[in-house]
Amino acid sequence: MKQNSFLAAVVGIAVPVGLQSMLQSSFSMIDQLMVGQLGSTAVSAVEVAGRPAFVYSVVLGAVAAIAGIMISQYLGMKDGKMAEHSLSVNLAAAIALALLFTALCALFPAQIVGLYIRDAPAILAAGRDYLTCILWTYLPMGISSILAVMIRCLGRAVWPLAAGIVSAAVNTGLNYGLIFGRFGLPALGVTGAAVASVVSQLVNLLLMLLIFWAVRLRGEGKFRFSLSLGAGGCRQYLMMLLPILVTELLWSLGQNVNTFIYGHLEPGDLAAMSMTGPVQGLFIGALSGVSQTAGILIGKRLGANEYAEAYRESKKLVWYGLAGSLALSVLLIGLRRVYVPLYNVEPAVRDTAARLLLAFAVLAPVKVANMILGGGVVRSGGKTAYIMGIDIVGTWLVGVPLGLITAFLFRLPVEWVYFILSQEELVRLGMTLMVFKRKGWMNRLPAAKGGG
């Protein structure tokens, strides 16, 4: 692939995917900004009640990553039948996960919210109400995410972006109406934000089903749903899926430990950290397209046995991401003091949030490099156990211990707790670079045999 055509392919996938990820993150930002007008209690309630959704989205992302690896490699092999079966299997996995998380949150909402906060009845009550509503987003989100993977692999990345734009508009309008009681709608406060998210996710699902019909079904005929992956296919699938599920689950649990830490520091620290979440989501979302592009393009190279091209193009993608993250970090440093006054919270909470955003801006290029190299390039070969080991070391042997020590032993301010525990990213990057240079990740999935 020539330089110009490679860059065009990167832009054609990365820009729509990045914009769609930003739109998805905008759901959280819109919720937080509008809920932020209700005060620190409401902001904290949305943060703690949104933790299960965060864990679910991370685990769902693992399934979507496996779907991308399999579909892109089989398309690279010109095996449309196995690409179709790969979609079916991962769609079934996403639905099963959605139903599990929905059931847990429906049965134990108060207990789940109570894990993250102490001695705050108002936060607990608002968080419980938010969680019992937001749980209905899990199933439509799961189905939409897996369908979007297939659509992107078929070269139609702009279509999921269009669906995201529509659903984001629905989310914004309903947030304004249902939180504050506009357009003749009831003023539901925090619960209104959750209702808006549910409706917008249902709209997104409807649009994704229509897009899938237009892109895949109308042109190629009937879709054959099948869970058969051929001889040895199930074993291969589990060998890819289980490590990445363990990786993402343990990482998300580590992030939940961090939320526990912030919730037990000074009053207002959890709200300040909550205020930074949407910005972090937008930042990482803007460059997540490069990571997903790596999974698709490098996966197709590996599927076609083009290993030298895969390695060379992987390095280019990492440099593209690094350049983008540095530019966004500079922009964030300049605009952080413009962002925090948008919340109707105490001045001390705003100052803390601004310092946290500065810490994030400094760390962001390393986070993005890990996302592209570990989350996209190395995983594209299907050897996800490499990343599992790296993430377990980074999260549980470095990040979590540093967070607990700095918070409860040294009692440092929250911004320093966050900055020091995030040094896990440097450890993770060093280990991932060693794996990348050894090229053991460059693996081609076996061709299907008797895939039925």
Side-chain angles (χ1 to χ4, degrees):
M1 189 180 295
K2 295 181 179 179
Q3 173 64 27
N4 289 341
S5 59
F6 174 70
L7 182 58
V10 172
V11 171
I13 300 174
V15 171
V17 171
L19 288 174
Q20 187 182 2
S21 296
M22 291 177 69
L23 282 169
Q24 191 66 37
S25 297
S26 76
F27 288 176
S28 174
M29 173 170 274
I30 292 165
D31 285 358
Q32 284 281 26
L33 284 174
M34 294 191 182
V35 169
Q37 308 310 307
L38 305 177
S40 298
T41 295
V43 172
S44 297
V46 171
E47 171 67 13
V48 295
R51 288 290 91 189
F54 169 76
V55 176
Y56 169 69
S57 66
V58 170
V59 178
L60 174 62
V63 178
I66 295 300
I69 292 169
M70 297 174 70
I71 294 170
S72 62
Q73 285 220 19
Y74 284 124
L75 289 178
M77 299 177 200
K78 311 298 183 184
D79 191 341
K81 180 179 180 182
M82 284 304 297
E84 203 169 67
H85 291 188
S86 300
L87 173 65
S88 301
V89 169
N90 286 287
L91 192 58
I95 291 172
L97 277 171
L99 294 176
L100 173 63
F101 273 80
T102 300
L104 289 174
C105 292
L107 293 171
F108 309 107
Q111 293 88 337
I112 290 172
V113 174
L115 292 173
Y116 302 102
I117 198 72
R118 61 176 181 182
D119 303 327
I123 295 176
L124 290 173
R128 182 190 62 240
D129 292 342
Y130 184 87
L131 179 57
T132 54
C133 186
I134 202 72
L135 62 85
W136 299 108
T137 64
Y138 299 162
L139 184 59
M141 185 190 305
I143 298 173
S144 298
S145 297
I146 303 303
L147 291 179
V149 171
M150 175 61 111
I151 293 166
R152 293 185 192 114
C153 288
L154 292 172
R156 301 292 193 275
V158 174
W159 289 77
L161 169 61
I165 292 172
V166 174
S167 57
V170 171
N171 187 58
T172 301
L174 286 178
N175 261 309
Y176 182 68
L178 291 171
I179 292 174
F180 305 113
R182 303 292 190 266
F183 313 128
L185 297 172
L188 301 179
V190 168
T191 303
V195 173
S197 294
V198 172
V199 175
S200 61
Q201 285 293 346
L202 290 172
V203 170
N204 188 60
L205 173 59
L206 176 61
L207 292 173
M208 290 304 302
L209 289 170
L210 291 173
I211 291 168
F212 183 71
W213 173 80
V215 171
R216 169 62 184 78
L217 300 182
R218 189 176 63 174
E220 299 184 30
K222 184 179 179 181
F223 171 71
R224 296 171 295 277
F225 184 90
S226 173
L227 301 181
S228 174
L229 293 176
C234 289
R235 180 176 177 273
Q236 175 75 26
Y237 177 68
L238 291 175
M239 287 179 64
M240 290 190 297
L241 179 64
L242 291 181
I244 199 171
L245 276 178
V246 171
T247 298
E248 300 298 355
L249 182 60
L250 289 178
W251 179 81
S252 62
L253 290 176
Q255 297 303 301
N256 278 265
V257 172
N258 294 344
T259 300
F260 167 84
I261 292 172
Y262 305 140
H264 288 74
L265 294 176
E266 296 298 321
D269 283 349
L270 180 60
M273 181 57 71
S274 303
M275 290 165 60
T276 72
V279 174
Q280 293 192 40
L282 284 174
F283 191 114
I284 297 299
L287 294 167
S288 65
V290 183
S291 177
Q292 293 198 36
T293 300
I296 293 172
L297 296 184
I298 304 305
K300 287 183 177 180
R301 287 294 196 190
L302 296 177
N305 284 321
E306 297 170 349
Y307 295 112
E309 292 87 348
Y311 189 73
R312 183 177 64 253
E313 291 174 359
S314 296
K315 291 190 288 185
K316 290 180 181 179
L317 287 163
V318 173
W319 283 113
Y320 292 162
L322 182 61
S325 64
L326 288 172
L328 288 176
S329 286
V330 172
L331 184 64
L332 177 56
I333 291 172
L335 295 178
R336 61 197 173 96
R337 291 287 181 182
V338 177
Y339 168 74
V340 293
L342 297 176
Y343 289 82
N344 182 27
V345 296
E346 298 81 358
V349 176
R350 294 178 186 172
D351 290 340
T352 301
R355 292 192 295 272
L356 285 165
L357 286 172
L358 176 61
F360 170 73
V362 173
L363 295 163
V366 180
K367 290 177 178 285
V368 169
N370 277 324
M371 178 178 67
I372 296 170
L373 197 57
V377 172
V378 174
R379 281 180 176 170
S380 66
K383 293 195 172 182
T384 54
Y386 287 145
I387 302 302
M388 179 181 70
I390 291 170
D391 278 1
I392 288 174
V393 170
T395 299
W396 290 98
L397 299 185
V398 180
V400 168
L402 285 177
L404 294 170
I405 290 170
T406 53
F408 301 124
L409 182 60
F410 296 122
R411 299 186 179 279
L412 296 179
V414 65
E415 61 268 23
W416 281 106
V417 173
Y418 169 73
F419 184 79
I420 293 172
L421 71 84
S422 295
Q423 298 311 303
E424 68 178 272
E425 297 287 350
L426 284 173
V427 174
R428 188 179 286 117
L429 180 59
M431 297 175 68
T432 307
L433 283 171
M434 288 190 290
V435 170
F436 175 72
K437 290 181 178 179
R438 290 176 181 174
K439 301 183 180 180
W441 57 274
M442 299 179 72
N443 176 59
R444 182 178 187 266
L445 298 183
K449 295 180 181 179

